[in-house]
Amino acid sequence: MPVPDVPALFDLTGTVVLVTGSSRGIGRALAEGLAGAGATVVLNGRDPERLARTRDELAAELGEGRVHAYGFDVTDADQVERAVAAVEAEVGPVGVLVNNAGVQHRVPLVDLDVADWRRVVETDLTSAFLVGRAVARSMISRGRGKIINVASVQSDLARPGIAPYTAAKGGLRTLTRAMAAEWAGSGVHVNALAPGYLATEMTQALVDDEQFTQWVVGRTPARRWGTTADLVGPAVWLASPASDFVDGQTVFVDGGMTVVV
């Protein structure tokens, strides 16, 4: 058996990568990291100003032709279909999709408004179905593609006060398996990343809470908060040919949190 060309296994040169919810936080870090492996990245977000600012910042680093931005609501099926068609016509066939868009809502379950339940589940779970379905159609016809769903340690664990998020992320882990079951035979490989507690703009209030930070550090064998940079290597692996026989898996990037009691 010949020795594999290892760098080539992780090379994304020429691959168009669509990352939802990528104007900041985890999505931006993943887009930037995948671009670092050679990909052309398509950013997405609902805030036009923030999206344009992120596109300009990344384009200054990577070059104008390597970064594109499409603002659309990932929970709106019609907008999703139009946006994916536009990306494929104007940028190129989407070779990798990262379903990252997500929101959080912290309130006790008995006080949770139905509208907030639906908003979280639609953003964190249904959007992955909508965008995944739209992208998978052309991937299946080409016989290749990668989809990475961004789940959470809450796919496996639960904490009080975040029930809709926990339900959505648990559903996303199972949706990942369902997508793999249906599409792996067509060359479309679907997996999930499950981040642990990461220090991001969205979690800054928790990072600043000394008691909560002590809990995170004490509960995590790695004894620290994670960073968005911790996700880049696993994301490049799942997006690249190096993971072509990996299907339906959820890769926990959590410093060991889910393996201890």
Side-chain angles (χ1 to χ4, degrees):
M1 180 177 177
V3 177
D5 183 347
V6 175
L9 286 176
F10 297 91
D11 186 5
L12 297 176
T13 300
T15 302
V16 174
V17 177
L18 169 60
V19 185
T20 67
S22 48
S23 59
R24 61 179 178 175
I26 290 174
R28 173 176 174 151
L30 293 179
E32 194 167 8
L34 292 165
T40 296
V41 295
V42 178
L43 307 175
N44 157 262
R46 287 192 292 184
D47 183 328
E49 292 183 3
R50 180 185 293 139
L51 182 61
R53 185 166 60 249
T54 300
R55 194 216 73 86
D56 291 347
E57 290 170 356
L58 294 187
E61 295 177 17
L62 302 167
E64 285 292 330
R66 297 277 308 284
V67 186
H68 306 265
Y70 286 75
F72 61 94
D73 183 350
V74 294
T75 69
D76 184 310
D78 291 337
Q79 287 190 41
V80 167
E81 294 290 341
R82 289 194 298 268
V84 169
V87 169
E88 299 222 323
E90 297 163 9
V91 182
V94 176
V96 177
L97 165 65
V98 181
N99 278 315
N100 170 72
V103 295
Q104 177 64 283
H105 187 76
R106 294 181 174 89
V107 68
L109 189 55
V110 294
D111 299 322
L112 180 65
D113 190 89
V114 173
D116 290 321
W117 168 275
R118 288 175 175 158
R119 178 175 60 89
V120 174
V121 171
E122 287 175 5
T123 305
D124 294 8
L125 175 58
T126 304
S127 70
F129 156 66
L130 294 175
V131 186
R133 178 183 64 174
V135 168
R137 290 188 180 114
S138 57
M139 287 181 173
I140 289 168
S141 68
R142 294 192 304 271
R144 64 185 184 279
K146 296 292 183 83
I147 296 176
I148 304 169
N149 295 323
V150 179
S152 166
V153 289
Q154 308 302 336
S155 300
D156 236 24
L157 305 175
R159 278 184 58 82
I162 56 170
Y165 183 85
T166 302
K169 292 301 186 178
L172 188 56
R173 184 180 188 184
T174 305
L175 177 62
T176 299
R177 293 169 172 167
M179 288 175 163
E182 294 204 18
W183 300 337
S186 299
V188 180
H189 307 287
V190 186
N191 295 284
L193 285 176
Y197 282 85
L198 305 187
T200 67
E201 182 178 340
M202 192 169 81
T203 61
Q204 190 58 50
L206 297 176
V207 176
D208 293 339
D209 183 327
E210 184 177 346
Q211 184 176 3
F212 192 85
T213 286
Q214 288 178 350
W215 176 83
V216 168
V217 172
R219 181 70 175 75
T220 306
R223 295 292 185 265
R224 66 174 175 88
W225 281 82
T227 69
T228 54
D230 291 318
L231 296 176
V232 171
V236 170
W237 171 58
L238 290 178
S240 72
S243 60
D244 276 355
F245 200 54
V246 180
D247 294 280
Q249 302 302 308
T250 297
V251 180
F252 286 84
V253 186
D254 63 357
M257 176 176 278
T258 52
V259 301
V260 297
V261 296

